[in-house]
Amino acid sequence: MMLEKGSRLVMAGDSVTDCNRNYTLPPCFWSTWGDGYVHVVYSSLLAFAPDRNIMVINQGVSGNTSEDLKVRWDKDIMTLNPDYVSVMIGINDVWRHFDSVVRQEKLIDRNQFHANLREIMNRTVPSVKKVFLMTPVMFEINKNEPMFVMLREYDAVIRKVAEEFDQPFIDCQSRVDAVLKYQHPYMFTTDRVHPNLPGHMILAKCFLDAVGLE
């Protein structure tokens, strides 16, 4: 497995990562992993690689865009001295184009999204062993649905940045699409974006496969 004994893994993102984590306790105290894929990753590493003693820290913040994550990156991520970092961000960058237009909020286009990711990577890659870039997901059957189409365009930006910095790219959306050939999205989510436990299991499996947990 890629994660060495005593490694420190910080998992960053938005509400899908946050997933009701406890902000009041120090990292790795009970309930700080939240109820989602981060907790599944931690539990799997503890159960199936017990000799590694891998520290998993959830640093997702609900509502974050790539801009928000960039602003808090040094304080919330790099001060934790991670060996490995995972990033799942972008669903809010896309979603705001569809649910916040009348609020006249600042909308993050693909160029700005690209710039935000590059800045995060520039701050991080020299100081850690690997940065895992995970695609955000939608549980959507209609591949022509406008928000889904835009999300895949932003996923292409994530892939491009991963290639540019020679870091692992994890296409979670493709794994979700494969599952939806057999099950309806409502088996995994009520709003197409925030997964239930089976949905989070898919995301966790994507990450665990990438690090080579058997």
Side-chain angles (χ1 to χ4, degrees):
M1 186 176 67
M2 185 182 299
L3 309 180
E4 301 88 355
K5 185 173 182 177
S7 295
R8 181 176 294 199
L9 166 65
V10 178
M11 309 193 81
D14 48 46
S15 58
V16 176
T17 302
D18 181 328
C19 208
N20 303 310
R21 70 180 174 95
N22 189 332
Y23 284 62
T24 65
L25 294 175
C28 283
F29 278 72
W30 193 251
S31 73
T32 61
W33 298 286
D35 303 321
Y37 77 90
V38 177
H39 201 162
V40 178
V41 167
Y42 161 74
S43 300
S44 300
L45 292 172
L46 182 63
F48 304 121
D51 59 313
R52 298 297 177 102
N53 292 320
I54 296 167
M55 183 179 189
V56 179
I57 303 173
N58 186 340
Q59 286 297 87
V61 172
S62 183
N64 264 192
T65 64
S66 62
E67 186 79 16
D68 300 319
L69 185 59
K70 179 185 72 173
V71 168
R72 69 180 180 88
W73 190 260
D74 292 341
K75 176 178 178 291
D76 285 2
I77 311 300
M78 299 310 294
T79 57
L80 296 172
N81 299 314
D83 299 297
Y84 296 91
V85 175
S86 74
V87 182
M88 182 187 285
I89 200 71
I91 190 65
N92 290 316
D93 300 64
V94 172
W95 206 346
R96 298 296 85 85
H97 286 266
F98 296 88
D99 71 351
S100 298
V101 177
V102 296
R103 300 179 200 164
Q104 300 183 11
E105 294 181 359
K106 176 185 176 182
L107 300 177
I108 298 172
D109 62 20
R110 275 180 292 171
N111 290 335
Q112 187 59 53
F113 182 64
H114 187 193
N116 290 341
L117 282 185
R118 290 193 79 260
E119 183 167 341
I120 286 171
M121 296 296 276
N122 278 323
R123 295 184 195 174
T124 312
V125 170
S127 303
V128 304
K129 295 177 181 178
K130 290 291 180 183
V131 180
F132 299 91
L133 292 180
M134 306 173 66
T135 65
V137 300
M138 281 183 65
F139 292 81
E140 174 61 62
I141 295 175
N142 179 8
K143 305 313 177 191
N144 295 316
E145 195 278 335
M147 182 171 158
F148 182 85
V149 171
M150 180 179 285
L151 181 63
R152 287 313 262 168
E153 292 172 350
Y154 281 57
D155 287 350
V157 173
I158 298 171
R159 182 189 291 274
K160 180 178 180 181
V161 172
E163 293 173 350
E164 184 179 355
F165 287 87
D166 193 25
Q167 299 298 307
F169 171 76
I170 305 177
D171 187 357
C172 301
Q173 184 64 57
S174 291
R175 186 75 64 92
V176 167
D177 291 345
V179 170
L180 295 184
K181 292 178 182 178
Y182 305 97
Q183 296 288 344
H184 192 276
Y186 281 135
M187 297 299 292
F188 303 98
T189 178
T190 58
D191 65 1
R192 303 187 301 169
V193 169
H194 296 95
N196 58 14
L197 183 55
H200 278 288
M201 291 286 289
I202 298 170
L203 303 182
K205 185 69 161 60
C206 291
F207 179 82
L208 293 169
D209 285 350
V211 300
L213 178 68
E214 298 182 357

